[in-house]
Amino acid sequence: MSTERRSALKKLLLSAVGVTGFGLFANAATKDAAPEKEAGNITKMDDVPLFSGHTKLGNTIYVAGKGAHTAPFTIAAHTEIVLKELEAELIKAGSSMEKVLKVNVYLNDIADYKGMNEVYKGRFGKKPPVRTTVAVAKGGVPGDSLVEMDCIAYI
C-alpha cells in the first residue's frame, strides 16, 4: 500500500472516530437524568410515609403485599380478596393481571396450598407469571390473613 493511500485511510479512520466520539459525547451530554420512581397509594403512620401500595419505575410496577383481614376466615375467601386487591392496585398503577411477571405468595399454613391454587388458577391469563409460594411460621403473615401476595408487572 502506498504512503499516500495509507495517509488517506488514516484520515478517514480518524474522521470516523472523531464523528463517532463526538456523537457519543453529544448523546451523553443531552441524555436525561435517571428516571425517578413514582409511589402510589401511600400508607402513612403519624403523617410520615410508611409504604406504598405500588411503585413504578419506567414501565415496571411493584405491588406491595396484599392480605385479607376479614371474615370468612377460609383460604378460598382470603385468596379471592387478595387477588381482587392485587388487581385493583395494578389497575391504579396502569397495568393488569395479564401483565404480571412475578408473584410471591405467602401462606400462613402450607396445608392451604391446594385451596389457594383452586382460586388462583387462571387469574393471570393464558401466559401466567412465575411464582414463588412459601409457608411462613404460624402468625408470620401480618394480621388475620391466611395468605398474602405481592407482584411485579409492566405497563
Side-chain angles (χ1 to χ4, degrees):
M1 185 181 284
S2 72
T3 306
E4 189 176 289
R5 200 167 207 174
R6 277 188 210 151
S7 179
L9 184 59
K10 185 176 178 182
K11 285 181 182 178
L12 180 64
L13 287 173
L14 288 174
S15 175
V17 167
V19 169
T20 303
F22 179 75
L24 290 174
F25 177 75
N27 284 343
T30 61
K31 207 171 206 177
D32 292 335
E36 193 171 313
K37 75 176 180 181
E38 296 175 41
N41 201 14
I42 298 173
T43 296
K44 294 181 179 185
M45 177 182 236
D46 301 325
D47 281 337
V48 178
L50 186 60
F51 62 89
S52 299
H54 68 271
T55 58
K56 286 196 264 187
L57 183 62
N59 289 334
T60 307
I61 301 167
Y62 302 84
V63 176
K66 303 295 180 190
H69 307 284
T70 186
F73 291 95
T74 66
I75 193 61
H78 278 204
T79 302
E80 183 67 33
I81 291 167
V82 167
L83 288 168
K84 284 181 178 178
E85 286 189 23
L86 275 182
E87 184 171 29
E89 196 71 44
L90 286 163
I91 290 167
K92 284 179 195 172
S95 190
S96 68
M97 296 290 268
E98 289 78 17
K99 293 181 177 181
V100 172
L101 302 169
K102 168 103 172 96
V103 177
N104 292 311
V105 178
Y106 308 96
L107 294 170
N108 199 46
D109 188 339
I110 195 64
D112 289 333
Y113 183 75
K114 185 178 177 182
M116 180 273 300
N117 274 332
E118 284 300 314
V119 179
Y120 181 99
K121 66 182 177 185
R123 298 301 281 268
F124 295 91
K126 293 182 180 183
K127 296 178 182 179
V130 296
R131 185 180 92 183
T132 299
T133 304
V134 296
V136 294
K138 286 273 188 197
V141 174
D144 296 329
S145 189
L146 300 177
V147 60
E148 183 170 324
M149 294 182 204
D150 62 40
C151 68
I152 300 170
Y154 66 94
I155 297 175

mmCIF file with all atom_site columns, all heavy atoms in Angstrom, residues 124-152:
data_model
loop_
_atom_site.group_PDB
_atom_site.id
_atom_site.type_symbol
_atom_site.label_atom_id
_atom_site.label_alt_id
_atom_site.label_comp_id
_atom_site.label_asym_id
_atom_site.label_entity_id
_atom_site.label_seq_id
_atom_site.pdbx_PDB_ins_code
_atom_site.Cartn_x
_atom_site.Cartn_y
_atom_site.Cartn_z
_atom_site.occupancy
_atom_site.B_iso_or_equiv
_atom_site.pdbx_formal_charge
_atom_site.auth_seq_id
_atom_site.auth_comp_id
_atom_site.auth_asym_id
_atom_site.auth_atom_id
_atom_site.pdbx_PDB_model_num
ATOM 1   N N   . PHE A 1 124 ? -54.410 -14.960 35.869 1.00 0.00 ? 124 PHE A N   1
ATOM 2   C CA  . PHE A 1 124 ? -53.418 -14.113 35.223 1.00 0.00 ? 124 PHE A CA  1
ATOM 3   C C   . PHE A 1 124 ? -53.351 -14.334 33.715 1.00 0.00 ? 124 PHE A C   1
ATOM 4   O O   . PHE A 1 124 ? -52.362 -14.006 33.071 1.00 0.00 ? 124 PHE A O   1
ATOM 5   C CB  . PHE A 1 124 ? -52.041 -14.351 35.866 1.00 0.00 ? 124 PHE A CB  1
ATOM 6   C CG  . PHE A 1 124 ? -51.994 -13.925 37.309 1.00 0.00 ? 124 PHE A CG  1
ATOM 7   C CD1 . PHE A 1 124 ? -52.301 -14.827 38.318 1.00 0.00 ? 124 PHE A CD1 1
ATOM 8   C CD2 . PHE A 1 124 ? -51.673 -12.625 37.658 1.00 0.00 ? 124 PHE A CD2 1
ATOM 9   C CE1 . PHE A 1 124 ? -52.269 -14.436 39.654 1.00 0.00 ? 124 PHE A CE1 1
ATOM 10  C CE2 . PHE A 1 124 ? -51.642 -12.223 38.980 1.00 0.00 ? 124 PHE A CE2 1
ATOM 11  C CZ  . PHE A 1 124 ? -51.945 -13.133 39.987 1.00 0.00 ? 124 PHE A CZ  1
ATOM 12  N N   . GLY A 1 125 ? -54.408 -14.872 33.139 1.00 0.00 ? 125 GLY A N   1
ATOM 13  C CA  . GLY A 1 125 ? -54.462 -15.060 31.695 1.00 0.00 ? 125 GLY A CA  1
ATOM 14  C C   . GLY A 1 125 ? -53.803 -16.344 31.219 1.00 0.00 ? 125 GLY A C   1
ATOM 15  O O   . GLY A 1 125 ? -53.466 -17.226 32.012 1.00 0.00 ? 125 GLY A O   1
ATOM 16  N N   . LYS A 1 126 ? -53.630 -16.423 29.917 1.00 0.00 ? 126 LYS A N   1
ATOM 17  C CA  . LYS A 1 126 ? -53.100 -17.643 29.299 1.00 0.00 ? 126 LYS A CA  1
ATOM 18  C C   . LYS A 1 126 ? -51.589 -17.791 29.437 1.00 0.00 ? 126 LYS A C   1
ATOM 19  O O   . LYS A 1 126 ? -51.041 -18.856 29.186 1.00 0.00 ? 126 LYS A O   1
ATOM 20  C CB  . LYS A 1 126 ? -53.488 -17.685 27.820 1.00 0.00 ? 126 LYS A CB  1
ATOM 21  C CG  . LYS A 1 126 ? -54.979 -17.857 27.615 1.00 0.00 ? 126 LYS A CG  1
ATOM 22  C CD  . LYS A 1 126 ? -55.332 -17.944 26.153 1.00 0.00 ? 126 LYS A CD  1
ATOM 23  C CE  . LYS A 1 126 ? -56.838 -18.119 26.029 1.00 0.00 ? 126 LYS A CE  1
ATOM 24  N NZ  . LYS A 1 126 ? -57.262 -18.274 24.648 1.00 0.00 ? 126 LYS A NZ  1
ATOM 25  N N   . LYS A 1 127 ? -50.923 -16.699 29.791 1.00 0.00 ? 127 LYS A N   1
ATOM 26  C CA  . LYS A 1 127 ? -49.471 -16.730 29.992 1.00 0.00 ? 127 LYS A CA  1
ATOM 27  C C   . LYS A 1 127 ? -49.195 -16.308 31.429 1.00 0.00 ? 127 LYS A C   1
ATOM 28  O O   . LYS A 1 127 ? -48.843 -15.149 31.703 1.00 0.00 ? 127 LYS A O   1
ATOM 29  C CB  . LYS A 1 127 ? -48.770 -15.796 29.011 1.00 0.00 ? 127 LYS A CB  1
ATOM 30  C CG  . LYS A 1 127 ? -48.936 -16.205 27.563 1.00 0.00 ? 127 LYS A CG  1
ATOM 31  C CD  . LYS A 1 127 ? -48.249 -15.215 26.647 1.00 0.00 ? 127 LYS A CD  1
ATOM 32  C CE  . LYS A 1 127 ? -48.471 -15.598 25.200 1.00 0.00 ? 127 LYS A CE  1
ATOM 33  N NZ  . LYS A 1 127 ? -47.831 -14.614 24.300 1.00 0.00 ? 127 LYS A NZ  1
ATOM 34  N N   . PRO A 1 128 ? -49.344 -17.228 32.376 1.00 0.00 ? 128 PRO A N   1
ATOM 35  C CA  . PRO A 1 128 ? -49.228 -16.858 33.794 1.00 0.00 ? 128 PRO A CA  1
ATOM 36  C C   . PRO A 1 128 ? -47.799 -16.446 34.162 1.00 0.00 ? 128 PRO A C   1
ATOM 37  O O   . PRO A 1 128 ? -46.840 -16.838 33.509 1.00 0.00 ? 128 PRO A O   1
ATOM 38  C CB  . PRO A 1 128 ? -49.640 -18.126 34.530 1.00 0.00 ? 128 PRO A CB  1
ATOM 39  C CG  . PRO A 1 128 ? -49.361 -19.228 33.577 1.00 0.00 ? 128 PRO A CG  1
ATOM 40  C CD  . PRO A 1 128 ? -49.585 -18.660 32.204 1.00 0.00 ? 128 PRO A CD  1
ATOM 41  N N   . PRO A 1 129 ? -47.689 -15.657 35.224 1.00 0.00 ? 129 PRO A N   1
ATOM 42  C CA  . PRO A 1 129 ? -46.368 -15.218 35.687 1.00 0.00 ? 129 PRO A CA  1
ATOM 43  C C   . PRO A 1 129 ? -45.633 -16.352 36.403 1.00 0.00 ? 129 PRO A C   1
ATOM 44  O O   . PRO A 1 129 ? -46.235 -17.365 36.765 1.00 0.00 ? 129 PRO A O   1
ATOM 45  C CB  . PRO A 1 129 ? -46.716 -14.109 36.686 1.00 0.00 ? 129 PRO A CB  1
ATOM 46  C CG  . PRO A 1 129 ? -48.065 -14.483 37.207 1.00 0.00 ? 129 PRO A CG  1
ATOM 47  C CD  . PRO A 1 129 ? -48.777 -15.115 36.035 1.00 0.00 ? 129 PRO A CD  1
ATOM 48  N N   . VAL A 1 130 ? -44.352 -16.146 36.624 1.00 0.00 ? 130 VAL A N   1
ATOM 49  C CA  . VAL A 1 130 ? -43.629 -17.062 37.503 1.00 0.00 ? 130 VAL A CA  1
ATOM 50  C C   . VAL A 1 130 ? -44.127 -16.802 38.915 1.00 0.00 ? 130 VAL A C   1
ATOM 51  O O   . VAL A 1 130 ? -44.682 -15.738 39.210 1.00 0.00 ? 130 VAL A O   1
ATOM 52  C CB  . VAL A 1 130 ? -42.095 -16.874 37.404 1.00 0.00 ? 130 VAL A CB  1
ATOM 53  C CG1 . VAL A 1 130 ? -41.596 -17.206 36.021 1.00 0.00 ? 130 VAL A CG1 1
ATOM 54  C CG2 . VAL A 1 130 ? -41.675 -15.476 37.796 1.00 0.00 ? 130 VAL A CG2 1
ATOM 55  N N   . ARG A 1 131 ? -43.945 -17.793 39.777 1.00 0.00 ? 131 ARG A N   1
ATOM 56  C CA  . ARG A 1 131 ? -44.479 -17.646 41.129 1.00 0.00 ? 131 ARG A CA  1
ATOM 57  C C   . ARG A 1 131 ? -43.597 -18.369 42.130 1.00 0.00 ? 131 ARG A C   1
ATOM 58  O O   . ARG A 1 131 ? -43.066 -19.435 41.846 1.00 0.00 ? 131 ARG A O   1
ATOM 59  C CB  . ARG A 1 131 ? -45.893 -18.240 41.191 1.00 0.00 ? 131 ARG A CB  1
ATOM 60  C CG  . ARG A 1 131 ? -46.571 -18.008 42.541 1.00 0.00 ? 131 ARG A CG  1
ATOM 61  C CD  . ARG A 1 131 ? -47.955 -18.594 42.562 1.00 0.00 ? 131 ARG A CD  1
ATOM 62  N NE  . ARG A 1 131 ? -47.923 -19.957 43.065 1.00 0.00 ? 131 ARG A NE  1
ATOM 63  C CZ  . ARG A 1 131 ? -48.985 -20.749 43.143 1.00 0.00 ? 131 ARG A CZ  1
ATOM 64  N NH1 . ARG A 1 131 ? -50.161 -20.326 42.727 1.00 0.00 ? 131 ARG A NH1 1
ATOM 65  N NH2 . ARG A 1 131 ? -48.877 -21.962 43.614 1.00 0.00 ? 131 ARG A NH2 1
ATOM 66  N N   . THR A 1 132 ? -43.483 -17.773 43.286 1.00 0.00 ? 132 THR A N   1
ATOM 67  C CA  . THR A 1 132 ? -42.852 -18.417 44.430 1.00 0.00 ? 132 THR A CA  1
ATOM 68  C C   . THR A 1 132 ? -43.909 -18.494 45.524 1.00 0.00 ? 132 THR A C   1
ATOM 69  O O   . THR A 1 132 ? -44.598 -17.510 45.785 1.00 0.00 ? 132 THR A O   1
ATOM 70  C CB  . THR A 1 132 ? -41.652 -17.594 44.930 1.00 0.00 ? 132 THR A CB  1
ATOM 71  O OG1 . THR A 1 132 ? -40.683 -17.501 43.878 1.00 0.00 ? 132 THR A OG1 1
ATOM 72  C CG2 . THR A 1 132 ? -41.025 -18.210 46.161 1.00 0.00 ? 132 THR A CG2 1
ATOM 73  N N   . THR A 1 133 ? -44.046 -19.668 46.120 1.00 0.00 ? 133 THR A N   1
ATOM 74  C CA  . THR A 1 133 ? -45.003 -19.836 47.215 1.00 0.00 ? 133 THR A CA  1
ATOM 75  C C   . THR A 1 133 ? -44.262 -20.395 48.415 1.00 0.00 ? 133 THR A C   1
ATOM 76  O O   . THR A 1 133 ? -43.557 -21.399 48.296 1.00 0.00 ? 133 THR A O   1
ATOM 77  C CB  . THR A 1 133 ? -46.137 -20.807 46.826 1.00 0.00 ? 133 THR A CB  1
ATOM 78  O OG1 . THR A 1 133 ? -46.768 -20.328 45.639 1.00 0.00 ? 133 THR A OG1 1
ATOM 79  C CG2 . THR A 1 133 ? -47.165 -20.930 47.936 1.00 0.00 ? 133 THR A CG2 1
ATOM 80  N N   . VAL A 1 134 ? -44.395 -19.729 49.527 1.00 0.00 ? 134 VAL A N   1
ATOM 81  C CA  . VAL A 1 134 ? -43.785 -20.209 50.764 1.00 0.00 ? 134 VAL A CA  1
ATOM 82  C C   . VAL A 1 134 ? -44.819 -20.182 51.876 1.00 0.00 ? 134 VAL A C   1
ATOM 83  O O   . VAL A 1 134 ? -45.751 -19.378 51.860 1.00 0.00 ? 134 VAL A O   1
ATOM 84  C CB  . VAL A 1 134 ? -42.555 -19.359 51.179 1.00 0.00 ? 134 VAL A CB  1
ATOM 85  C CG1 . VAL A 1 134 ? -41.443 -19.475 50.147 1.00 0.00 ? 134 VAL A CG1 1
ATOM 86  C CG2 . VAL A 1 134 ? -42.916 -17.922 51.403 1.00 0.00 ? 134 VAL A CG2 1
ATOM 87  N N   . ALA A 1 135 ? -44.641 -21.085 52.811 1.00 0.00 ? 135 ALA A N   1
ATOM 88  C CA  . ALA A 1 135 ? -45.461 -21.064 54.021 1.00 0.00 ? 135 ALA A CA  1
ATOM 89  C C   . ALA A 1 135 ? -44.593 -20.476 55.121 1.00 0.00 ? 135 ALA A C   1
ATOM 90  O O   . ALA A 1 135 ? -43.442 -20.884 55.301 1.00 0.00 ? 135 ALA A O   1
ATOM 91  C CB  . ALA A 1 135 ? -45.920 -22.468 54.387 1.00 0.00 ? 135 ALA A CB  1
ATOM 92  N N   . VAL A 1 136 ? -45.118 -19.507 55.814 1.00 0.00 ? 136 VAL A N   1
ATOM 93  C CA  . VAL A 1 136 ? -44.381 -18.879 56.905 1.00 0.00 ? 136 VAL A CA  1
ATOM 94  C C   . VAL A 1 136 ? -44.863 -19.484 58.216 1.00 0.00 ? 136 VAL A C   1
ATOM 95  O O   . VAL A 1 136 ? -45.934 -20.084 58.283 1.00 0.00 ? 136 VAL A O   1
ATOM 96  C CB  . VAL A 1 136 ? -44.572 -17.348 56.887 1.00 0.00 ? 136 VAL A CB  1
ATOM 97  C CG1 . VAL A 1 136 ? -43.945 -16.757 55.637 1.00 0.00 ? 136 VAL A CG1 1
ATOM 98  C CG2 . VAL A 1 136 ? -46.028 -16.961 56.966 1.00 0.00 ? 136 VAL A CG2 1
ATOM 99  N N   . ALA A 1 137 ? -44.084 -19.333 59.251 1.00 0.00 ? 137 ALA A N   1
ATOM 100 C CA  . ALA A 1 137 ? -44.480 -19.888 60.545 1.00 0.00 ? 137 ALA A CA  1
ATOM 101 C C   . ALA A 1 137 ? -45.822 -19.300 60.959 1.00 0.00 ? 137 ALA A C   1
ATOM 102 O O   . ALA A 1 137 ? -46.150 -18.169 60.615 1.00 0.00 ? 137 ALA A O   1
ATOM 103 C CB  . ALA A 1 137 ? -43.413 -19.565 61.586 1.00 0.00 ? 137 ALA A CB  1
ATOM 104 N N   . LYS A 1 138 ? -46.595 -20.071 61.668 1.00 0.00 ? 138 LYS A N   1
ATOM 105 C CA  . LYS A 1 138 ? -47.905 -19.595 62.133 1.00 0.00 ? 138 LYS A CA  1
ATOM 106 C C   . LYS A 1 138 ? -47.785 -18.190 62.695 1.00 0.00 ? 138 LYS A C   1
ATOM 107 O O   . LYS A 1 138 ? -46.911 -17.906 63.488 1.00 0.00 ? 138 LYS A O   1
ATOM 108 C CB  . LYS A 1 138 ? -48.458 -20.521 63.218 1.00 0.00 ? 138 LYS A CB  1
ATOM 109 C CG  . LYS A 1 138 ? -48.967 -21.832 62.698 1.00 0.00 ? 138 LYS A CG  1
ATOM 110 C CD  . LYS A 1 138 ? -50.400 -21.686 62.295 1.00 0.00 ? 138 LYS A CD  1
ATOM 111 C CE  . LYS A 1 138 ? -50.983 -23.035 61.948 1.00 0.00 ? 138 LYS A CE  1
ATOM 112 N NZ  . LYS A 1 138 ? -52.181 -22.909 61.206 1.00 0.00 ? 138 LYS A NZ  1
ATOM 113 N N   . GLY A 1 139 ? -48.649 -17.338 62.215 1.00 0.00 ? 139 GLY A N   1
ATOM 114 C CA  . GLY A 1 139 ? -48.611 -15.944 62.639 1.00 0.00 ? 139 GLY A CA  1
ATOM 115 C C   . GLY A 1 139 ? -47.633 -15.104 61.839 1.00 0.00 ? 139 GLY A C   1
ATOM 116 O O   . GLY A 1 139 ? -47.499 -13.921 62.101 1.00 0.00 ? 139 GLY A O   1
ATOM 117 N N   . GLY A 1 140 ? -46.954 -15.688 60.838 1.00 0.00 ? 140 GLY A N   1
ATOM 118 C CA  . GLY A 1 140 ? -45.966 -14.969 60.045 1.00 0.00 ? 140 GLY A CA  1
ATOM 119 C C   . GLY A 1 140 ? -46.575 -14.004 59.051 1.00 0.00 ? 140 GLY A C   1
ATOM 120 O O   . GLY A 1 140 ? -45.951 -13.013 58.691 1.00 0.00 ? 140 GLY A O   1
ATOM 121 N N   . VAL A 1 141 ? -47.787 -14.276 58.589 1.00 0.00 ? 141 VAL A N   1
ATOM 122 C CA  . VAL A 1 141 ? -48.487 -13.337 57.714 1.00 0.00 ? 141 VAL A CA  1
ATOM 123 C C   . VAL A 1 141 ? -49.132 -12.305 58.633 1.00 0.00 ? 141 VAL A C   1
ATOM 124 O O   . VAL A 1 141 ? -49.842 -12.668 59.569 1.00 0.00 ? 141 VAL A O   1
ATOM 125 C CB  . VAL A 1 141 ? -49.546 -14.056 56.840 1.00 0.00 ? 141 VAL A CB  1
ATOM 126 C CG1 . VAL A 1 141 ? -50.361 -13.059 56.040 1.00 0.00 ? 141 VAL A CG1 1
ATOM 127 C CG2 . VAL A 1 141 ? -48.890 -15.076 55.920 1.00 0.00 ? 141 VAL A CG2 1
ATOM 128 N N   . PRO A 1 142 ? -48.886 -11.011 58.384 1.00 0.00 ? 142 PRO A N   1
ATOM 129 C CA  . PRO A 1 142 ? -49.415 -9.985  59.287 1.00 0.00 ? 142 PRO A CA  1
ATOM 130 C C   . PRO A 1 142 ? -50.937 -10.027 59.442 1.00 0.00 ? 142 PRO A C   1
ATOM 131 O O   . PRO A 1 142 ? -51.661 -10.355 58.506 1.00 0.00 ? 142 PRO A O   1
ATOM 132 C CB  . PRO A 1 142 ? -48.982 -8.674  58.624 1.00 0.00 ? 142 PRO A CB  1
ATOM 133 C CG  . PRO A 1 142 ? -47.808 -9.044  57.789 1.00 0.00 ? 142 PRO A CG  1
ATOM 134 C CD  . PRO A 1 142 ? -48.091 -10.440 57.314 1.00 0.00 ? 142 PRO A CD  1
ATOM 135 N N   . GLY A 1 143 ? -51.382 -9.660  60.610 1.00 0.00 ? 143 GLY A N   1
ATOM 136 C CA  . GLY A 1 143 ? -52.817 -9.584  60.885 1.00 0.00 ? 143 GLY A CA  1
ATOM 137 C C   . GLY A 1 143 ? -53.469 -10.954 60.890 1.00 0.00 ? 143 GLY A C   1
ATOM 138 O O   . GLY A 1 143 ? -52.850 -11.951 61.247 1.00 0.00 ? 143 GLY A O   1
ATOM 139 N N   . ASP A 1 144 ? -54.728 -10.992 60.469 1.00 0.00 ? 144 ASP A N   1
ATOM 140 C CA  . ASP A 1 144 ? -55.502 -12.227 60.488 1.00 0.00 ? 144 ASP A CA  1
ATOM 141 C C   . ASP A 1 144 ? -55.551 -12.908 59.124 1.00 0.00 ? 144 ASP A C   1
ATOM 142 O O   . ASP A 1 144 ? -56.335 -13.828 58.929 1.00 0.00 ? 144 ASP A O   1
ATOM 143 C CB  . ASP A 1 144 ? -56.948 -11.923 60.934 1.00 0.00 ? 144 ASP A CB  1
ATOM 144 C CG  . ASP A 1 144 ? -56.987 -11.396 62.362 1.00 0.00 ? 144 ASP A CG  1
ATOM 145 O OD1 . ASP A 1 144 ? -56.131 -11.785 63.162 1.00 0.00 ? 144 ASP A OD1 1
ATOM 146 O OD2 . ASP A 1 144 ? -57.884 -10.583 62.651 1.00 0.00 ? 144 ASP A OD2 1
ATOM 147 N N   . SER A 1 145 ? -54.753 -12.462 58.179 1.00 0.00 ? 145 SER A N   1
ATOM 148 C CA  . SER A 1 145 ? -54.816 -13.005 56.826 1.00 0.00 ? 145 SER A CA  1
ATOM 149 C C   . SER A 1 145 ? -54.204 -14.405 56.762 1.00 0.00 ? 145 SER A C   1
ATOM 150 O O   . SER A 1 145 ? -53.182 -14.677 57.384 1.00 0.00 ? 145 SER A O   1
ATOM 151 C CB  . SER A 1 145 ? -54.086 -12.086 55.849 1.00 0.00 ? 145 SER A CB  1
ATOM 152 O OG  . SER A 1 145 ? -54.330 -12.516 54.532 1.00 0.00 ? 145 SER A OG  1
ATOM 153 N N   . LEU A 1 146 ? -54.837 -15.258 55.987 1.00 0.00 ? 146 LEU A N   1
ATOM 154 C CA  . LEU A 1 146 ? -54.320 -16.609 55.761 1.00 0.00 ? 146 LEU A CA  1
ATOM 155 C C   . LEU A 1 146 ? -53.334 -16.642 54.599 1.00 0.00 ? 146 LEU A C   1
ATOM 156 O O   . LEU A 1 146 ? -52.598 -17.613 54.436 1.00 0.00 ? 146 LEU A O   1
ATOM 157 C CB  . LEU A 1 146 ? -55.476 -17.573 55.495 1.00 0.00 ? 146 LEU A CB  1
ATOM 158 C CG  . LEU A 1 146 ? -56.506 -17.701 56.610 1.00 0.00 ? 146 LEU A CG  1
ATOM 159 C CD1 . LEU A 1 146 ? -57.643 -18.631 56.186 1.00 0.00 ? 146 LEU A CD1 1
ATOM 160 C CD2 . LEU A 1 146 ? -55.854 -18.198 57.900 1.00 0.00 ? 146 LEU A CD2 1
ATOM 161 N N   . VAL A 1 147 ? -53.327 -15.582 53.780 1.00 0.00 ? 147 VAL A N   1
ATOM 162 C CA  . VAL A 1 147 ? -52.452 -15.505 52.619 1.00 0.00 ? 147 VAL A CA  1
ATOM 163 C C   . VAL A 1 147 ? -52.118 -14.043 52.338 1.00 0.00 ? 147 VAL A C   1
ATOM 164 O O   . VAL A 1 147 ? -52.933 -13.158 52.603 1.00 0.00 ? 147 VAL A O   1
ATOM 165 C CB  . VAL A 1 147 ? -53.104 -16.170 51.372 1.00 0.00 ? 147 VAL A CB  1
ATOM 166 C CG1 . VAL A 1 147 ? -54.409 -15.487 51.003 1.00 0.00 ? 147 VAL A CG1 1
ATOM 167 C CG2 . VAL A 1 147 ? -52.157 -16.239 50.195 1.00 0.00 ? 147 VAL A CG2 1
ATOM 168 N N   . GLU A 1 148 ? -50.922 -13.819 51.850 1.00 0.00 ? 148 GLU A N   1
ATOM 169 C CA  . GLU A 1 148 ? -50.522 -12.504 51.376 1.00 0.00 ? 148 GLU A CA  1
ATOM 170 C C   . GLU A 1 148 ? -49.822 -12.702 50.038 1.00 0.00 ? 148 GLU A C   1
ATOM 171 O O   . GLU A 1 148 ? -49.142 -13.714 49.841 1.00 0.00 ? 148 GLU A O   1
ATOM 172 C CB  . GLU A 1 148 ? -49.572 -11.824 52.368 1.00 0.00 ? 148 GLU A CB  1
ATOM 173 C CG  . GLU A 1 148 ? -49.188 -10.420 51.946 1.00 0.00 ? 148 GLU A CG  1
ATOM 174 C CD  . GLU A 1 148 ? -48.443 -9.642  53.020 1.00 0.00 ? 148 GLU A CD  1
ATOM 175 O OE1 . GLU A 1 148 ? -48.754 -9.801  54.213 1.00 0.00 ? 148 GLU A OE1 1
ATOM 176 O OE2 . GLU A 1 148 ? -47.551 -8.859  52.640 1.00 0.00 ? 148 GLU A OE2 1
ATOM 177 N N   . MET A 1 149 ? -50.009 -11.749 49.105 1.00 0.00 ? 149 MET A N   1
ATOM 178 C CA  . MET A 1 149 ? -49.354 -11.808 47.808 1.00 0.00 ? 149 MET A CA  1
ATOM 179 C C   . MET A 1 149 ? -48.840 -10.438 47.425 1.00 0.00 ? 149 MET A C   1
ATOM 180 O O   . MET A 1 149 ? -49.457 -9.436  47.739 1.00 0.00 ? 149 MET A O   1
ATOM 181 C CB  . MET A 1 149 ? -50.335 -12.282 46.714 1.00 0.00 ? 149 MET A CB  1
ATOM 182 C CG  . MET A 1 149 ? -50.816 -13.685 46.859 1.00 0.00 ? 149 MET A CG  1
ATOM 183 S SD  . MET A 1 149 ? -51.901 -14.123 45.469 1.00 0.00 ? 149 MET A SD  1
ATOM 184 C CE  . MET A 1 149 ? -52.849 -15.446 46.215 1.00 0.00 ? 149 MET A CE  1
ATOM 185 N N   . ASP A 1 150 ? -47.699 -10.448 46.732 1.00 0.00 ? 150 ASP A N   1
ATOM 186 C CA  . ASP A 1 150 ? -47.207 -9.241  46.080 1.00 0.00 ? 150 ASP A CA  1
ATOM 187 C C   . ASP A 1 150 ? -46.840 -9.608  44.659 1.00 0.00 ? 150 ASP A C   1
ATOM 188 O O   . ASP A 1 150 ? -46.826 -10.798 44.305 1.00 0.00 ? 150 ASP A O   1
ATOM 189 C CB  . ASP A 1 150 ? -46.027 -8.618  46.843 1.00 0.00 ? 150 ASP A CB  1
ATOM 190 C CG  . ASP A 1 150 ? -44.804 -9.538  46.927 1.00 0.00 ? 150 ASP A CG  1
ATOM 191 O OD1 . ASP A 1 150 ? -44.470 -10.217 45.943 1.00 0.00 ? 150 ASP A OD1 1
ATOM 192 O OD2 . ASP A 1 150 ? -44.146 -9.542  47.990 1.00 0.00 ? 150 ASP A OD2 1
ATOM 193 N N   . CYS A 1 151 ? -46.564 -8.606  43.817 1.00 0.00 ? 151 CYS A N   1
ATOM 194 C CA  . CYS A 1 151 ? -46.239 -8.930  42.429 1.00 0.00 ? 151 CYS A CA  1
ATOM 195 C C   . CYS A 1 151 ? -45.433 -7.840  41.763 1.00 0.00 ? 151 CYS A C   1
ATOM 196 O O   . CYS A 1 151 ? -45.346 -6.718  42.249 1.00 0.00 ? 151 CYS A O   1
ATOM 197 C CB  . CYS A 1 151 ? -47.494 -9.226  41.621 1.00 0.00 ? 151 CYS A CB  1
ATOM 198 S SG  . CYS A 1 151 ? -48.583 -7.835  41.328 1.00 0.00 ? 151 CYS A SG  1
ATOM 199 N N   . ILE A 1 152 ? -44.858 -8.209  40.629 1.00 0.00 ? 152 ILE A N   1
ATOM 200 C CA  . ILE A 1 152 ? -44.138 -7.298  39.748 1.00 0.00 ? 152 ILE A CA  1
ATOM 201 C C   . ILE A 1 152 ? -44.811 -7.399  38.389 1.00 0.00 ? 152 ILE A C   1
ATOM 202 O O   . ILE A 1 152 ? -45.086 -8.500  37.908 1.00 0.00 ? 152 ILE A O   1
ATOM 203 C CB  . ILE A 1 152 ? -42.652 -7.664  39.635 1.00 0.00 ? 152 ILE A CB  1
ATOM 204 C CG1 . ILE A 1 152 ? -41.975 -7.619  41.006 1.00 0.00 ? 152 ILE A CG1 1
ATOM 205 C CG2 . ILE A 1 152 ? -41.936 -6.741  38.640 1.00 0.00 ? 152 ILE A CG2 1
ATOM 206 C CD1 . ILE A 1 152 ? -40.577 -8.203  41.028 1.00 0.00 ? 152 ILE A CD1 1
#
